[in-house]
Amino acid sequence: MSQDIFKKYEALQVYYKTADGQPFFQESDARNHAKTLDNKKVETVERPIEEIEGKTTKEVREYAINAKDSIALIKEATTVEALEVFADDERKSVVEAYAKKFAELNESTDDLGSVEGSDETNKDSEDETKD
């Protein structure tokens, strides 16, 4: 069902679904409807990130029509390359999210490098030079 909604509304990044399966564009509308149901749960359904990867900055901006959607995509990124489409975004909140995620991903990369250059590796090379 979610794929049908995302196909029908190509700019839509997220919608809200109540326990009876009714979709809503606004969370407040979904919560109001859920009040009338036995099960009050409201599920947030997001567009899969795979549908956005590989698109140009302009295409991504068309999909991620607001800062909240852009920030959500930034938070889901697992590589610096995946962040590149947001590098020239000028919205303050997006810039802040980008900078934070960029630093996190670079820190992860640095951590991998420090594991490879650990003390044990250095001890092995010192032992070899003593012989």
Side-chain angles (χ1 to χ4, degrees), residues 56-67:
T56 66
T57 303
K58 182 177 185 291
E59 290 171 326
V60 169
R61 287 208 179 120
E62 288 172 0
Y63 276 98
I65 56 176
N66 62 43

Side-chain angles (χ1 to χ4, degrees), residues 35-131:
K35 290 177 184 178
T36 68
L37 304 173
D38 290 335
N39 183 342
K40 312 282 189 231
K41 182 180 175 190
V42 173
E43 177 185 355
T44 301
V45 182
E46 297 178 343
R47 180 181 293 278
I49 189 74
E50 297 82 30
E51 292 185 23
I52 297 170
E53 290 179 335
K55 298 197 178 299
T56 66
T57 303
K58 182 177 185 291
E59 290 171 326
V60 169
R61 287 208 179 120
E62 288 172 0
Y63 276 98
I65 56 176
N66 62 43
K68 181 180 176 183
D69 291 339
S70 295
I71 292 167
L73 293 172
I74 289 169
K75 287 179 179 179
E76 290 180 18
T78 57
T79 64
V80 172
E81 291 78 20
L83 289 177
E84 288 177 358
V85 295
F86 299 102
D88 63 345
D89 199 302
E90 297 173 357
R91 296 171 289 184
K92 183 179 177 183
S93 58
V94 175
V95 169
E96 290 170 359
Y98 171 85
K100 181 179 179 184
K101 186 65 172 190
F102 188 84
E104 287 174 11
L105 290 172
N106 280 330
E107 185 177 301
S108 296
T109 304
D110 292 344
D111 289 345
L112 289 175
S114 66
V115 169
E116 291 171 2
S118 68
D119 288 344
E120 288 188 30
T121 304
N122 292 336
K123 286 179 186 174
D124 289 343
S125 61
E126 287 175 15
D127 290 342
E128 291 174 9
T129 57
K130 288 180 183 177
D131 291 335

Side-chain angles (χ1 to χ4, degrees), residues 1-8 15 45-48 51:
M1 181 174 156
S2 65
Q3 294 303 324
D4 295 337
I5 292 174
F6 289 128
K7 284 181 184 176
K8 185 173 181 179
Y15 72 91
V45 182
E46 297 178 343
R47 180 181 293 278
E51 292 185 23

